[in-house]
Each structure stands twice: as structure tokens, then as C-alpha cells.
């Protein structure tokens, strides 16, 4: 049996890497994002189906659900889409930035769950189990100065996942949360800092091996390919150089020698 996954945020970063990793392990994949040109290139390269949509719009979510129902079962929803805007203090935050972060990180996830849960249940009834997986962030677990809007949005998404897991108790539908720390991707920090490439690169300056998108995708695929009775409730992952949200080593990592 071939299982089919819907992966959001598929046009770049962790979402794109997840599409590639799932296809490599035999999944059928529908990659969803706004940028149709990037999805088309990914479709040509990997064989994943492409579906362009703005998942903050109910009409687009409903159209996606209808298209999926016509084209095959849905065994998994992998919600990667999200993002951050700005690093302002709470008192200086732009309400439009905060509203956007809540829409792309929380409301879109809720709309997708509501729209696709009937199809996930139908697939689980036939094939034994189904999956929902949410990529949140360590920002959901610990606040930091300048992160208030993103902290709040990702904490909201994390609570959505936790509530959903409780609400689905007794059903064979897994609810997995993967919370990465520092991940180097081409767009996340660049977009957060308003397109300032130099400022974005400085965030990672001197950090020995930050996570990359494929590292997170590997964990996602592991969780989804685990036996159906095994649920990874929450996986927190960071580069070794980031011991905690506030503690980041810059420079080469080396063992501490005796006497140091």
C-alpha cells in the first residue's frame, strides 16, 4: 500500500525537504504552497503532485480538500507552512505583523485540520491509521526578547496540536509535533528581517553546523514511518551549538581539556 501525504509550505525550506524525503521513502505526496512555479519545478523533479493555494484563505482550503477527495485518500497532513515577521519588542510590534503570524501559523493549521480530518478518518478506517504532524518551533517553548509575536503564534500552534491529540483520543490518528531550534534555510530569517540578507547571515555567523532543512525532514519522515501505534508527541531538536533557546555557541566546538 502506498500512503499519501499532504505537505504544506512545500515551495522552500523544511517543507520542500520533507516532500523530497517522503518521496524517497515511497510516499505519494501533494506539495502545497502559494508559489506555483516552485511547486511545478518540485513536481518535475520528485514526482510529487503540486497544488498552489493560499492556506490563510478558507476558499483555498476548501478547494484543496475537494480536490484531494477527488484524487485519492489522505493518510497524512504535514503542516510545515508558517513564518515570522519582525523582531520588535512587544511595545513596538506592528499589529499587522502579529496578525499575519497568527494567520499563517495557527488559523491555517486549524482550517486544514477541520477540512481534512474526515479524509484522514476515512483513510485510517481502511488502512489502520493516519497522521497529523505540525512543525512548530522551540520559540513555542521559551520566550526571548524581540520574539513575542512569533513566540505567541508558535505557542498557539503547539497548543492546537496538544488539544487535537486529546480530542482524537480513541481514534487511530497520530498527532506529532516537531519543534526545531536554529535551522539555516534560504528564506526564514531573510523574510523575518525584511529582506536584509546581511542581517540574516549574521544570525548564523560563527555557529558550528546549525540545523538544515533536511535534518528536520529526516525526523519528520522517521515519525511518519514509525509503526502506526507509536506516536512521537513532541520532538525538540536543536544543533549541538544551541544548548537552549538563549544559549548559543559561536566558534568551533571542541572538547574541554583537563585543567581548562
Amino acid at each position: 500500500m502506498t500512503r499519501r501525504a499532504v505537505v504544506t509550505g512545500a515551495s522552500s525550506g523544511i517543507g520542500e525537504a520533507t516532500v523530497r524525503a517522503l518521496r524517497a521513502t515511497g510516499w505519494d505526496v501533494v506539495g502545497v504552497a502559494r508559489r506555483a512555479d516552485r511547486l511545478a519545478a518540485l513536481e518535475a523533479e520528485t514526482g510529487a503532485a503540486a497544488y498552489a493555494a493560499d492556506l490563510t484563505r478558507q476558499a483555498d482550503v476548501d478547494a484543496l480538500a475537494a480536490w484531494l477527495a477527488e484524487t485519492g485518500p489522505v493518510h497524512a497532513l504535514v503542516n510545515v507552512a508558517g513564518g515570522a515577521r519582525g523582531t520588535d519588542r512587544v511595545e513596538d510590534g506592528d499589529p499587522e505583523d502579529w496578525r499575519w503570524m497568527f494567520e499563517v501559523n495557527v488559523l491555517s493549521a486549524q482550517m486544514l485540520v477541520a477540512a481534512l480530518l474526515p479524509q484522514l478518518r476515512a483513510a485510517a478506517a481502511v488502512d489502520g491509521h493516519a497522521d497529523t504532524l505540525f512543525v512548530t518551533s522551540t520559540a513555542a517553548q521559551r520566550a526571548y526578547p524581540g520574539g513575542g509575536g512569533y513566540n505567541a503564534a508558535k505557542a498557539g500552534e503547539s497548543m492546537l496540536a496538544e488539544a487535537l491529540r486529546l480530542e482524537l483520543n480513541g481514534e487511530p490518528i497520530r498527532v506529532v509535533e516537531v519543534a526545531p531550534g536554529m535551522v539555516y534555510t534560504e528564506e526564514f530569517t531573510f523574510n523575518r528581517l525584511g529582506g536584509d540578507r546581511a542581517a540574516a547571515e549574521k544570525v548564523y555567523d560563527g555557529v558550528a553546523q546549525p540545523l538544515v532543512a533536511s535534518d528536520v525532514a529526516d525526523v519528520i519522515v522517521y515519525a511518519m514511518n514509525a509503526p502506526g501505534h507509536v506516536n512521537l508527541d513532541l520532538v525538540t531538536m536543536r544543533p549541538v551549538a544551541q544548548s537552549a533557546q538563549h544559549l548559543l555557541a559561536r566558534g568551533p566546538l571542541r572538547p574541554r581539556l583537563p585543567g581548562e
Side-chain angles (χ1 to χ4, degrees):
M1 180 196 66
T2 300
R3 300 173 71 81
R4 185 164 75 147
V6 177
V7 179
T8 72
S11 62
S12 65
I14 295 169
E16 179 184 344
T18 300
V19 170
R20 296 180 186 278
L22 285 172
R23 289 292 297 146
T25 60
W27 284 73
D28 282 344
V29 180
V30 178
V32 183
R34 292 188 304 273
R35 292 177 289 185
D37 55 338
R38 287 198 171 215
L39 290 178
L42 187 63
E43 180 178 45
E45 185 176 342
T46 67
Y51 191 97
D54 179 349
L55 297 177
T56 66
R57 297 181 67 251
Q58 186 68 60
D60 282 23
V61 173
D62 292 343
L64 169 64
W67 180 83
L68 289 168
E70 293 172 357
T71 54
V74 176
H75 298 89
L77 167 61
V78 185
N79 196 71
V80 183
R85 279 188 180 173
T87 57
D88 294 331
R89 293 162 58 92
V90 172
E91 63 185 303
D92 302 319
D94 183 341
E96 288 305 312
D97 287 345
W98 285 54
R99 185 173 291 108
W100 179 86
M101 285 187 278
F102 195 79
E103 287 179 347
V104 300
N105 291 289
V106 183
L107 291 180
S108 66
Q110 185 275 328
M111 289 190 292
L112 281 164
V113 169
L116 297 186
L117 196 52
Q119 296 183 52
L120 291 165
R121 285 183 168 127
V126 173
D127 297 319
H129 76 277
D131 296 319
T132 60
L133 188 147
F134 301 85
V135 177
T136 61
S137 169
T138 55
Q141 303 169 4
R142 184 70 61 184
Y144 54 90
Y150 188 58
N151 290 140
K154 280 303 185 184
E157 185 183 3
S158 178
M159 287 298 103
L160 181 156
E162 289 197 31
L164 180 64
R165 188 180 300 113
L166 300 177
E167 292 163 1
L168 295 180
N169 179 249
E171 300 189 55
I173 301 175
R174 301 189 291 193
V175 181
V176 178
E177 179 183 353
V178 177
M182 175 177 274
V183 183
Y184 182 88
T185 63
E186 62 178 298
E187 294 190 346
F188 177 83
T189 303
F190 177 73
N191 290 338
R192 183 176 195 175
L193 298 180
D196 187 332
R197 179 63 68 185
E201 292 296 329
K202 189 174 181 180
V203 171
Y204 306 96
D205 187 39
V207 178
Q209 293 184 292
L211 299 179
V212 294
S214 61
D215 295 325
V216 184
D218 286 345
V219 172
I220 292 170
V221 171
Y222 178 87
M224 293 175 62
N225 285 332
H229 67 285
V230 177
N231 194 95
L232 302 185
D233 283 19
L234 170 61
V235 179
T236 299
M237 56 185 300
R238 296 186 177 92
V240 173
Q242 187 183 33
S243 299
Q245 193 74 6
H246 66 285
L247 188 58
L248 181 65
R250 296 187 187 273
L253 302 180
R254 64 178 183 85
R256 182 175 292 116
L257 300 177
E260 288 188 336

